[in-house]
Amino acid sequence: RRLKGLHQITTLKNQDVVDEFEPLEEGLEKVTETRSLACIIIKLSKDSLDTADIGYQAPLDESLVKEADPEELMRPRGGKGEGGGKGKG
């Protein structure tokens, strides 16, 4: 969906997560595993954001945005969901 005057900053980052596993049997040592998770952060605002940020996206030209009435926004958009598909059952 498109909204008029919506500014966006997209940021990608990696975060290390450390998992520790306790042994089920006595006499064994604890196992530690570090893994890196990729994250995407999308900040949306009707107010102006930092235009110097490398992930900044300016609002779309208002001529490209069609206003939607509130009732239209509440209706399901279709796609994958309940019913209509071939599945078990």
Side-chain angles (χ1 to χ4, degrees), residues 20-72:
E20 290 186 356
F21 301 95
E22 296 286 338
L24 297 176
E25 298 177 19
E26 286 187 37
L28 298 175
E29 293 184 16
K30 176 179 3 179
V31 175
T32 302
E33 178 181 272
T34 302
R35 55 193 167 103
S36 183
L37 294 178
C39 305
I40 184 168
I41 300 165
I42 300 173
K43 182 176 184 178
L44 302 172
S45 177
K46 294 287 258 176
D47 298 325
S48 185
L49 296 173
D50 181 8
T51 58
D53 192 296
I54 195 165
Y56 176 76
Q57 292 180 336
L60 292 172
D61 186 284
E62 290 194 10
S63 66
L64 300 173
V65 181
K66 177 187 143 206
E67 285 290 328
D69 61 41
E71 288 182 21
E72 185 181 333

Side-chain angles (χ1 to χ4, degrees), residues 81-89:
E82 291 185 25
K86 294 181 180 180
K88 295 183 178 180

Side-chain angles (χ1 to χ4, degrees), residues 7-27:
H7 299 260
Q8 175 176 322
I9 291 182
T10 305
T11 308
L12 301 175
K13 75 180 221 178
N14 287 319
Q15 184 165 348
D16 288 337
V17 176
V18 178
D19 293 317
E20 290 186 356
F21 301 95
E22 296 286 338
L24 297 176
E25 298 177 19
E26 286 187 37

